[in-house]
């Protein structure tokens, strides 16, 4: 197949051949790589925006950016991190790994796979181009509450709306593809309850995506008609309801935060057994815990809105439902600990990142539990305590999870081992910097600092300075990550097919680097063996 | 979290401490187990891994115990919530109306009302002068409340969503256009309490302080009386201002003061604005064109933009002065003067 492609295109200019290879590829591995590179690029762009934010907050007073531009940077940082860095990274991992893990030759719908990736660069170019437009980029936060984003939004809001539509279409197509692949292309004998946990968590995530991305599309469409076609969905003076915006947004938004963490749970559940040299503890309870988290994620959206004047009964319902999420999440953490228990543990870089993930995600979970207590939430809401909470869940959660996955599977992808010493340096500096950046935010929030402000009163100065120093260091550590990845792709110690001594799963039965096409005939699934 | 000054803020702090301690204890147990296993079961000490991978009993135990802990936390939180949301039997009501980027307070019983603006000067924000103690947390007209009265707040907004928060009272309520939200407090100790807007509301979001002065009841009553007299005097002054014919030299300093306080946030001190969203006044068609258009724009604003209607917020004299200032500053030199009486007639 590869040889055939080369003879057909032999007479083309190498640049055109290169472009058409990547533009028209339908190979799940190549599309996976495209997703991961896009994600890393956007991660650095949005990370640069975080640097602008922390630079401005280094000291009280306005030093570097005007409040108006600060709001634009803050909005794009959130939007791009969520839709551009975390989600494409997970879709990239799904593309690479799901077919290899279930013994499938490719994704079920390869051409749609190509399409769902190539929409994204256009979506993000459109979103980023708004920075250079008259009136500036969207400036209303990634939650784009109406009417700040509708009646009062800058002209570029329409580019934002179209960009979100494109991202949504891409996500929905990706999710459909993943579900169809998992349902139809499992190798004979790979029953649902034998699937690797990463495949399970992505399966559930894909359902969440299909259910909530259309809701997001609906809410931005309502914004569009409010802005240009005279409707008043969210305009109080026309009989509309600004609070309804928040209900619809968070009905999307809360499952969205689980979309950004469930694949990470799957990654940790692959890596921890490997380096503990012991089977995952409580496989079926892990699956059911994931299903319950996904279900609960649909009935807790109101906890983002406790201060909007909800009735007491509604507040109580959302408080109880939210607290309930701690139960399946706790089960997962306990299962990971039990997996390590009496294993034979080694601490290679992927394992370090996975353990870091579990611990710091748990800290984010703790503050989440505190936020669920409505009376206390009245004090925490929209302060830096919330910023600390969701960054603990997303940075050492989603981002560390992705990095653990990259270190774990990169040898399989490119055939070289990464530099273990540099990997460990990366982990320890990143962990130190993450905590230095985000832990003090708990304190500034509890002391009363609202979020999304470009300037603050003097009492918050010390902790903000610490956070900013941490953020600078954190940004540098990710440059080291980029260096490690490029170095590994270009060369290094040859990886074995097995790569990790304790690793179990179909992806470790194929050569390293993984050939262009794998499992053209389905592998044999051996009864009683774990996958 | 700060304890605050009200009974409710102290109760909420207790709930916060309860949540925090539960998290710390659970955290110590879970992280302790992780560190123990990382130490004791590392390969150099524990070369042969165990093979167990399931235990229904253990799963049931660590599902049940968290449920019990959660129920234990939910009960006090639910009881406190019921009390927080009990807005009945208030002694007085203050209507809080937010707009970009200031607060408006109206005492429902006595019909006293006024705006409250930030007073931190631009020089401090842009690091030209040292920042004072209450940097960003000082307002010209604080909300004045009596001690030991149940005060009901009705919170709403004129434009986008804002949120009124005084941490020491543990009161945070979103101000939403088209909605009137309720909250209440009883403050036992006199003093000055400070808070900020806590919902992103545009470029002035960080510059919307809330200052509340709580006074003993007798002093509060005196203050109400003073406000009544001041309102009458202001009415008298407004009549006097209308009767007088003002000169350019008299109007310009008043106009500059008004401009810097209310207009410069968006249109900038040099009148150059910020792009198309906040247009430049220097050389603008409106500020150099027909006086009537200029007056109309200042008094009624532009619908659905940050340009507010200033007629209800400023006096005749202030509007006359600021228009005169805008028409005769920067690149503008129309020589036009507008009198308070003209503004009064246009109302």
């Amino acid at each position: 197949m590869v040889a055939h492609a080369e003879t057909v295109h032999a007479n083309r200019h190498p640049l055109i051949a290169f472009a058409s290879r990547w533009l028209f590829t339908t190979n799940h591995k190549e599309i996976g790589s495209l997703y991961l590179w896009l994600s890393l690029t956007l991660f650095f762009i949005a990370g640069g925006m975080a640097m602008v934010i922390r630079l401005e907050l280094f000291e009280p007073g306005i030093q570097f950016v005007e409040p108006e531009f600060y709001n634009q940077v803050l909005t794009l940082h959130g939007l791009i991190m969520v839709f551009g860095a975390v989600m494409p990274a997970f879709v990239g991992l799904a593309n690479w790994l799901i077919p290899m893990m279930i013994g499938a030759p490719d994704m079920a719908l390869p051409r749609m796979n190509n399409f769902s990736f190539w929409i994204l660069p256009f979506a993000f170019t459109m979103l980023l181009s708004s920075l250079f437009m008259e009136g500036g980029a969207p400036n209303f936060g990634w939650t784009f509450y109406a009417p700040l984003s509708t009646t009062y939004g800058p002209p570029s809001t329409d580019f934002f709306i179209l960009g979100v539509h494109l991202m949504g279409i891409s996500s929905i197509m990706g999710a459909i593809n993943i579900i169809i692949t998992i349902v139809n292309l499992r190798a004979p004998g790979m029953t649902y309850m034998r699937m690797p946990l990463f495949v399970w968590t992505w399966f559930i995530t894909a359902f969440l995506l299909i259910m909530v991305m259309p809701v997001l599309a609906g809410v931005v469409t309502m914004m569009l008609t409010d802005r240009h076609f005279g409707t008043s969905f969210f305009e109080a003076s026309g009989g509309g309801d600004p609070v309804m915006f928040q209900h619809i947004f968070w009905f999307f938004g809360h499952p969205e935060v689980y979309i950004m963490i469930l694949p990470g749970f799957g990654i940790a559940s692959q890596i921890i057994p490997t380096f503990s040299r012991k089977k995952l503890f409580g496989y079926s309870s892990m699956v059911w815990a994931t299903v319950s988290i996904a279900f609960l994620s649909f009935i807790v959206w109101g906890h983002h809105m406790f201060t909007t004047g909800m009735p007491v009964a509604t507040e109580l319902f959302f408080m109880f439902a939210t607290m309930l999420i701690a139960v399946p999440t706790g089960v997962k953490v306990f299962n990971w600990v039990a997996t390590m228990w009496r294993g034979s543990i080694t601490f290679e870089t992927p394992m370090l990142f996975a353990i870091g993930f579990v611990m710091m995600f748990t800290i984010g979970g703790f503050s989440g539990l505190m936020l669920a207590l409505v009376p206390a939430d009245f004090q925490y809401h929209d302060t830096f305590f919330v910023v600390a909470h969701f960054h603990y869940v997303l940075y050492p959660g989603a981002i560390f999870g992705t990095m653990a996955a990259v270190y774990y599977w990169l040898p399989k992808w490119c055939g070289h081992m990464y530099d273990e010493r540099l990997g460990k340096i990366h982990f320890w500096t990143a962990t130190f910097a993450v905590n230095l950046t985000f832990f003090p935010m708990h304190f500034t929030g509890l002391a009363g600092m609202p979020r999304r402000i470009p300037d603050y009163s003097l009492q918050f100065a010390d902790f903000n300075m610490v956070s900013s120093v941490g953020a600078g260091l954190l940004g540098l550590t990710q440059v080291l990550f980029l260096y490690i990845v490029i170095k590994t792709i270009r060369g290094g110690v040859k990886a074995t097919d097995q790569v990790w001594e304790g690793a179990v799963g179909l992806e470790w039965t194929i050569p390293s680097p993984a050939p262009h096409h794998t499992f053209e005939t389905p592998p044999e699934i051996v009864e009683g063996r774990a996958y | 979290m700060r304890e605050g000054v009200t009974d409710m803020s102290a109760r909420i702090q207790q709930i916060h401490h309860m949540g925090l301690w539960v998290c710390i204890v659970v955290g110590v147990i879970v992280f302790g187990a992780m560190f123990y296993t990382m130490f004791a079961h590392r390969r150099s000490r524990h070369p042969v891994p165990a093979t167990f991978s399931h235990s229904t009993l253990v799963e049931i135990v660590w599902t049940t115990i968290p449920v019990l802990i959660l129920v234990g936390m939910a009960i006090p939180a639910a009881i406190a919530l019921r009390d927080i949301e009990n807005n009945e039997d208030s002694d007085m009501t203050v209507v809080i109306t937010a707009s970009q980027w200031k607060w408006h307070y109206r005492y429902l019983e006595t019909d006293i009302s006024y705006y409250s603006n930030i007073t931190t000067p631009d020089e401090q924000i842009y690091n030209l002068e040292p920042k004072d103690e209450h940097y960003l947390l000082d307002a010209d007209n604080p909300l004045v409340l009596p001690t030991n009265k149940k005060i009901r707040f009705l919170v709403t907004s004129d434009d986008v969503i804002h949120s009124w928060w005084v941490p020491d009272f543990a009161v945070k309520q979103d101000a939403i256009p088209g909605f009137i939200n309720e909250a209440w407090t009883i403050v036992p100790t006199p003093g000055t309490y400070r808070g900020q807007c806590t919902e992103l509301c545009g470029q002035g979001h960080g510059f919307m302080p809330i200052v509340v002065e709580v006074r003993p009841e007798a002093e509060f009553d005196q203050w109400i009386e003073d406000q009544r007299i001041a309102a009458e005097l202001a009415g008298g002054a407004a009549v006097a201002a209308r009767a007088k014919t003002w000169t350019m030299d008299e109007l310009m300093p008043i106009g500059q003061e008004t401009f810097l306080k209310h207009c410069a946030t968006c249109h900038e001190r040099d009148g150059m604005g910020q792009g198309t969203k906040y247009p430049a006044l220097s050389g603008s068609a409106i500020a150099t064109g027909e006086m009537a258009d200029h007056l109309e724009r200042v008094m009624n604003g532009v619908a659905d933009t940050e340009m507010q209607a200033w007629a209800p917020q400023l006096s005749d004299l202030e509007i006359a002065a600021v228009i005169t200032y805008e028409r005769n500053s920067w690149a503008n030199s129309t020589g036009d003067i507008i009198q308070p009486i003209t503004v009064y007639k246009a109302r």
Side-chain angles (χ1 to χ4, degrees):
Chain A
M1 191 72 180
V2 181
H4 170 73
E6 273 162 11
T7 47
V8 169
H9 302 309
N11 53 351
R12 287 214 222 159
H13 189 280
L15 204 66
I16 295 177
F18 177 82
S20 62
R21 172 186 169 191
W22 290 105
L23 269 176
F24 302 133
T25 180
T26 54
N27 180 285
H28 74 99
K29 301 183 183 79
E30 289 185 341
I31 294 177
S33 299
L34 285 173
Y35 265 112
L36 289 170
W37 280 113
L38 176 76
S39 155
L40 194 60
T41 311
L42 291 170
F43 178 62
F44 276 103
I45 292 175
M49 292 175 176
M51 295 301 115
V52 174
I53 294 172
R54 283 317 321 174
L55 198 62
E56 184 52 56
L57 293 179
F58 183 71
E59 276 184 322
I62 301 288
Q63 281 90 11
F64 300 97
V65 291
E66 287 294 316
E68 170 66 26
F69 186 68
Y70 178 89
N71 287 348
Q72 297 173 19
V73 170
L74 170 141
T75 304
L76 290 178
H77 165 73
L79 284 170
I80 294 176
M81 280 294 186
V82 168
F83 293 104
V86 175
M87 290 171 69
F90 282 152
V91 181
L93 293 173
N95 258 293
W96 255 104
L97 297 171
I98 289 177
M100 296 198 322
M101 284 178 157
I102 62 173
D106 204 310
M107 297 295 280
L109 306 166
R111 210 165 289 284
M112 190 166 93
N113 202 13
N114 169 291
F115 192 44
S116 60
F117 170 77
W118 277 108
I119 290 178
L120 287 180
F122 294 95
F124 287 103
T125 308
M126 217 152 66
L127 187 60
L128 282 169
S129 70
S130 62
L131 271 174
F132 307 101
M133 290 177 194
E134 281 280 353
N139 56 2
F140 30 66
W142 88 277
T143 50
F144 54 99
Y145 279 8
L148 188 63
S149 62
T150 52
T151 320
Y152 295 84
S156 62
T157 307
D158 302 324
F159 278 75
F160 153 83
I161 290 173
L162 202 53
V164 168
H165 268 308
L166 291 180
M167 295 165 205
I169 292 170
S170 161
S171 292
I172 292 170
M173 289 198 297
I176 290 174
N177 209 348
I178 285 165
I179 290 175
I180 295 180
T181 305
I182 294 173
V183 171
N184 292 301
L185 295 190
R186 279 169 294 123
M190 174 67 78
T191 58
Y192 281 109
M193 290 313 268
R194 277 188 198 153
M195 291 195 309
L197 242 285
F198 179 74
V199 180
W200 252 118
T201 51
W202 239 117
F203 192 46
I204 294 161
T205 304
F207 277 103
L208 291 183
L209 276 168
I210 287 186
M211 283 190 264
V212 301
M213 290 314 275
V215 178
L216 177 68
V219 77
V220 294
T221 307
M222 289 156 97
M223 278 173 65
L224 190 72
T225 62
D226 263 15
R227 284 169 59 81
H228 297 293
F229 303 108
T231 57
S232 298
F233 290 113
F234 310 129
E235 177 60 46
S237 60
D241 182 345
V243 179
M244 183 175 72
F245 173 90
Q246 297 183 25
H247 281 293
I248 305 174
F249 177 81
W250 286 114
F251 187 81
F252 146 79
H254 200 79
E256 168 70 17
V257 307
Y258 289 90
I259 288 165
M260 291 191 285
I261 199 65
L262 291 186
F265 288 170
I267 292 163
S269 306
Q270 301 296 131
I271 293 175
I272 290 175
T274 296
F275 297 97
S276 305
R277 293 167 183 75
K278 194 160 152 278
K279 259 177 84 174
L280 182 70
F281 185 87
Y283 174 93
S284 56
S285 75
M286 282 300 224
V287 172
W288 290 113
T290 314
V291 173
S292 2
I293 291 173
F295 169 74
L296 288 172
S297 77
F298 281 102
I299 55 167
V300 295
W301 77 89
H303 68 218
H304 298 268
M305 303 166 52
F306 284 143
T307 62
T308 56
M310 279 197 276
V312 189
T314 319
E315 286 176 330
L316 284 175
F317 168 77
F318 282 123
M319 173 167 82
F320 297 146
T322 304
M323 294 176 78
L324 217 49
I325 293 187
V327 177
T329 314
V331 166
K332 282 187 154 293
V333 173
F334 300 144
N335 278 337
W336 286 320
V337 179
T339 304
M340 291 161 69
W341 197 260
R342 293 183 52 217
S344 182
I345 308 170
T346 50
F347 298 95
E348 286 85 348
T349 308
M351 182 63 163
L352 289 177
F353 271 98
I355 293 173
F357 167 92
V358 173
M359 287 200 157
M360 287 180 274
F361 173 80
T362 306
I363 294 176
F366 283 147
S367 53
L369 178 62
M370 293 167 72
L371 281 157
L373 301 168
V374 186
D377 180 79
F378 289 144
Q379 293 283 58
Y380 306 138
H381 179 80
D382 253 332
T383 67
F384 260 77
F385 190 79
V386 176
V387 179
H389 159 70
F390 68 74
H391 279 97
Y392 258 93
V393 178
L394 286 173
Y395 209 120
I399 306 283
F400 270 29
T402 307
M403 284 172 174
V406 169
Y407 281 112
Y408 186 58
W409 280 293
L410 193 58
K412 175 56 67 187
W413 298 339
C414 69
H416 306 122
M417 294 304 287
Y418 60 87
D419 186 329
E420 187 64 56
R421 195 177 59 91
L422 285 181
K424 286 198 165 117
I425 293 174
H426 175 222
F427 169 76
W428 287 111
T429 47
T431 302
F432 174 71
V434 156
N435 288 293
L436 194 65
T437 310
F438 298 118
F439 209 79
M441 292 184 185
H442 290 115
F443 304 132
T444 45
L446 290 176
M449 179 168 164
R451 64 192 278 213
R452 293 170 166 173
I453 55 175
D455 193 6
Y456 48 84
S457 58
L458 303 179
Q459 53 184 322
F460 309 124
D462 296 346
F463 282 128
N464 269 293
M465 198 175 274
V466 174
S467 277
S468 289
V469 170
L473 183 62
L474 191 52
L476 287 178
T477 63
Q478 304 313 354
V479 178
L480 177 62
F481 175 68
L482 179 68
Y483 171 75
I484 295 171
V485 170
I486 292 175
K487 185 167 177 256
T488 311
I489 292 172
R490 293 171 67 98
V493 182
K494 186 92 185 63
T496 60
D497 295 353
Q498 175 64 28
V499 184
W500 309 109
E501 144 202 353
V504 180
L506 290 176
E507 76 268 33
W508 309 110
T509 63
I510 56 177
S512 300
H516 200 62
H517 293 286
T518 44
F519 297 123
E520 283 166 288
T521 51
E524 199 188 337
I525 306 295
V526 186
E527 189 71 36
R529 190 161 174 258
Y531 289 95
Chain B
M1 186 186 290
R2 35 178 133 168
E3 188 182 357
V5 290
T6 64
D7 289 347
M8 191 49 80
S9 66
R11 248 172 99 180
I12 288 177
Q13 194 207 30
Q14 284 169 9
I15 291 172
H16 162 72
H17 281 156
M18 172 189 72
L20 186 61
W21 278 108
V22 167
C23 291
I24 290 173
V25 170
V26 175
V28 165
I29 295 170
V30 174
F31 295 154
M34 282 188 89
F35 281 116
Y36 172 76
T37 187
M38 281 193 277
F39 173 77
H41 304 138
R42 66 188 199 273
R43 184 155 61 173
S44 53
R45 284 179 66 108
H46 196 258
V48 182
T51 52
F52 67 89
S53 72
H54 188 73
S55 162
T56 310
L57 178 69
V58 171
E59 299 276 0
I60 291 172
V61 168
W62 68 38
T63 309
T64 317
I65 292 176
V67 170
L68 296 178
I69 296 174
L70 290 174
V71 170
M73 291 168 81
I75 291 170
I79 294 171
L81 183 64
R82 187 198 59 194
D83 296 341
I84 292 171
E85 298 289 351
N86 176 9
N87 295 298
E88 288 166 14
D89 304 323
S90 59
D91 300 309
M92 60 176 279
T93 300
V94 179
V95 182
I96 301 171
T97 309
S99 58
Q100 289 175 323
W101 292 282
K102 57 175 86 81
W103 301 98
H104 180 263
Y105 301 114
R106 187 155 77 88
Y107 295 77
L108 208 57
E109 287 82 6
T110 49
D111 211 34
I112 290 167
S113 70
Y114 52 87
Y115 283 91
S116 179
N117 283 286
I118 187 170
T119 52
T120 303
D122 270 6
E123 286 77 9
Q124 289 191 17
I125 294 173
Y126 286 90
N127 313 304
L128 304 171
E129 282 177 8
K131 299 176 183 6
D132 67 27
E133 189 192 352
H134 298 301
Y135 175 69
L136 296 184
L137 295 179
D138 239 349
D140 50 2
N141 300 309
L143 174 67
V144 180
L145 297 176
T147 51
N148 298 317
K149 293 273 184 195
K150 182 164 181 175
I151 298 144
R152 184 171 66 138
F153 301 112
L154 298 178
V155 188
T156 187
S157 167
D158 277 342
D159 40 41
V160 301
I161 301 177
H162 306 260
S163 191
W164 196 82
W165 182 33
V166 179
D168 283 331
F169 302 166
V171 171
K172 184 185 284 155
Q173 194 65 65
D174 286 1
I176 304 172
F179 282 75
I180 297 171
N181 283 329
E182 276 183 303
W184 64 268
T185 192
I186 301 171
V187 189
T189 6
T192 305
Y193 305 103
R194 293 166 202 276
Q196 279 177 275
C197 177
T198 40
E199 182 65 65
L200 179 62
C201 57
Q203 63 159 341
H205 169 52
F207 309 94
M208 250 182 102
I210 295 154
V211 181
V212 184
E213 264 185 45
V214 178
R215 302 183 182 182
E217 207 183 335
E219 281 181 41
F220 174 77
D221 292 340
Q222 181 59 44
W223 178 83
I224 290 280
E225 195 50 39
D226 292 348
Q227 294 306 303
R228 276 218 191 98
I229 296 166
E232 271 169 35
L233 287 177
V239 171
R242 288 202 291 272
K244 178 176 166 171
T245 303
W246 295 73
T247 66
M248 177 82 84
D249 289 345
E250 288 168 330
L251 287 173
M252 287 297 275
I254 304 173
Q256 185 180 29
E257 193 188 321
T258 312
F259 182 84
L260 291 179
K261 186 167 166 188
H262 297 288
C263 315
T265 319
C266 299
H267 296 294
E268 299 293 323
R269 300 160 69 86
D270 56 5
M272 293 312 290
Q274 305 175 41
T276 45
K277 194 172 174 197
Y278 306 114
L281 302 183
S282 183
S284 93
I286 291 188
T288 56
E290 280 295 313
M291 171 76 85
D293 295 343
H294 192 176
L295 180 62
E296 202 277 332
R297 178 63 57 97
V298 173
M299 290 186 69
N300 301 325
V302 182
D304 296 342
T305 68
E306 277 99 332
M307 182 61 193
Q308 305 169 359
W310 293 97
Q313 302 187 39
L314 301 178
S315 69
D316 297 338
L317 175 60
E318 284 171 319
I319 292 180
V322 83
I323 291 177
T324 307
Y325 176 75
E326 286 169 2
R327 298 179 78 81
N328 298 290
S329 298
W330 322 299
N332 305 347
S333 52
T334 58
D336 293 344
I337 299 177
I338 178 169
Q339 296 296 338
I341 184 72
T342 319
V343 179
Y344 176 71
K345 284 179 180 159
R347 279 185 191 268

